């Protein structure tokens, strides 16, 4: 029970990578505050997380809502030892094809949400320190075509990880990122379903990785738990690729 007595706030906890991370941290003993927009899904995840799980219905891209709701949650559940920023969306399109609203929606959800939450959570972590894990992407390092705003958002959060790590170090707050490759979640499934041949798209994504399969939320959760825990006590400002070797391969 690595995280016994610890409190973890996890965004995007209703689905996919955030859900997997929350369940893993709860299984390892943490009390988890599950943050997301979909009450019913959050309640289901809370069941899986056991008695020390709380649900917080919140749109993390809405700064006013975060400022109003999160301080109350903090007062109720206590300051975080661990924060996992997993809420995210993918707005597809080349830069010239995106509307300003689409660009803003992408950035507000994937990047600015971290700013909103941090304004509340960071001061609460400062006295005792803790660990923040940001879910970035292989797209933090290499671009997908027709995905300009998403790629920009993931580059931004990797840079932000380093900036926050420097500012957190004097307070014992470590900040790291996980960079998943193709992880089979509802989000990625939705992308596959939108392709002309979904089965071929799944095969292509799996075979792109030397380990020749899609990743699972549990694959990512293992790295999140490592970075959040004491085994990573001297690790900050960096990232772990969980991509089955995807970015290690030179295309031939
Ligand atoms: P998902 O769609 O299964 O889960 C994302 C979760 O974030 C959902 O629960 C959704 O409701 C929540 N969310 C979205 N906007 C929100 C908002 N404004 N407020 C509160 N919650 C919000 O997606 P998945 O795949 O689990 O993605 C999670 C993160 O992992 C995202 O940042 C994504 O970019 C990243 N990622 C995913 C990869 C994949 O292959 N699935 C690969 C690399 C990164």
């Amino acid at each position: 029970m690595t995280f016994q007595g610890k409190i973890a706030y996890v965004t995007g906890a209703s689905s996919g990578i955030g859900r997997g991370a929350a369940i893993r941290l709860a299984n390892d003993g943490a009390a988890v505050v599950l943050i997301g927009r979909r009450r019913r899904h959050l309640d289901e995840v809370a069941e899986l997380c056991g008695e020390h799980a709380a649900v917080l219905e919140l749109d993390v891209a809405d700064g006013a809502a975060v400022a109003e709701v999160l301080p109350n949650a903090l007062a109720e559940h206590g300051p975080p030892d661990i924060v996992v920023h997993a809420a995210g969306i993918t707005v597809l399109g080349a830069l010239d094809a995106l509307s300003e609203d689409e660009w803003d929606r992408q950035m507000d959800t994937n990047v600015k949400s971290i700013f909103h939450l941090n304004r509340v959570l960071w001061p609460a972590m400062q006295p005792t320190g803790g660990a923040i894990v940001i879910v970035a992407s292989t797209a933090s390092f290499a671009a997908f075509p027709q995905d300009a705003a998403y790629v920009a958002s993931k580059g931004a959060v990797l840079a932000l990880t380093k900036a926050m790590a420097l500012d957190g170090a004097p307070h014992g707050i470590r900040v790291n990122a996980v960079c998943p490759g193709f992880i089979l979640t509802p989000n990625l499934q939705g992308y596959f379903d939108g392709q002309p041949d979904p089965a071929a798209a799944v095969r292509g994504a799996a075979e792109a990785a030397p380990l020749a399969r899609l990743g699972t939320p549990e694959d990512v959760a293992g790295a999140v738990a490592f970075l959040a825990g004491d085994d990573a006590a001297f690790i900050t400002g960096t990232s772990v690729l969980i991509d089955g070797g995807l970015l290690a391969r030179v295309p031939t």
Side-chain angles (χ1 to χ4, degrees):
M1 292 302 240
T2 323
F3 298 119
Q4 194 81 51
K6 305 282 186 195
I7 303 175
Y9 286 64
V10 182
T11 74
S14 65
S15 166
I17 289 172
R19 177 183 183 275
I23 292 170
R24 170 64 191 263
L25 294 173
N27 283 342
D28 288 354
V32 288
V33 180
L34 308 169
I35 302 174
R37 292 170 303 179
R38 295 175 298 169
R39 178 92 215 184
R40 190 171 57 79
H41 289 84
L42 290 169
D43 285 341
E44 284 169 16
V45 178
E47 290 257 312
L48 298 169
C49 288
E51 56 178 327
H52 297 301
V55 162
L56 184 60
E57 211 177 327
L58 180 60
D59 178 348
V60 296
D62 181 342
V66 172
E68 189 187 328
V69 170
L70 198 53
N72 297 334
L74 210 54
E76 190 179 344
H77 305 297
D81 301 288
I82 300 162
V83 179
V84 182
H85 291 282
I89 57 170
T90 308
V91 179
L92 292 173
L95 191 58
D96 62 294
L98 293 172
S99 68
E100 188 173 348
D101 279 354
E102 288 172 322
W103 172 269
D104 286 345
R105 197 157 58 85
Q106 181 67 86
M107 289 299 171
D108 285 353
T109 306
N110 287 15
V111 187
K112 202 172 179 187
S113 63
I114 298 174
F115 167 80
H116 294 317
L117 269 91
N118 203 61
R119 292 181 92 179
V120 180
L121 298 180
W122 186 270
M125 294 177 85
Q126 273 182 343
T128 51
I132 298 174
V133 181
I134 294 176
V135 180
S137 172
T138 45
S140 304
F141 301 100
F144 298 106
Q146 307 289 320
D147 207 6
Y150 179 79
V151 169
S153 77
K154 291 301 178 183
V157 297
L158 187 58
L160 183 60
T161 299
K162 296 171 195 169
M164 289 170 70
L166 298 192
D167 296 334
H171 307 288
I173 302 174
R174 296 183 300 102
V175 187
N176 292 291
V178 288
C179 296
F182 292 112
I183 309 297
L184 191 55
T185 65
N187 181 24
L188 187 64
Q189 187 64 54
Y191 169 77
F192 289 142
D193 291 345
Q195 298 304 301
D197 183 346
V202 171
R203 253 193 332 274
E207 286 166 6
L211 292 182
R213 67 169 173 88
L214 299 177
T216 64
E218 292 73 27
D219 289 324
V220 182
V224 170
F226 167 69
L227 290 172
D230 288 344
D231 283 347
F234 199 52
I235 299 178
T236 195
T238 191
S239 61
V240 177
L241 275 167
I242 306 129
D243 69 347
L246 186 71
L247 292 194
R249 174 137 75 192
V250 175
T252 51

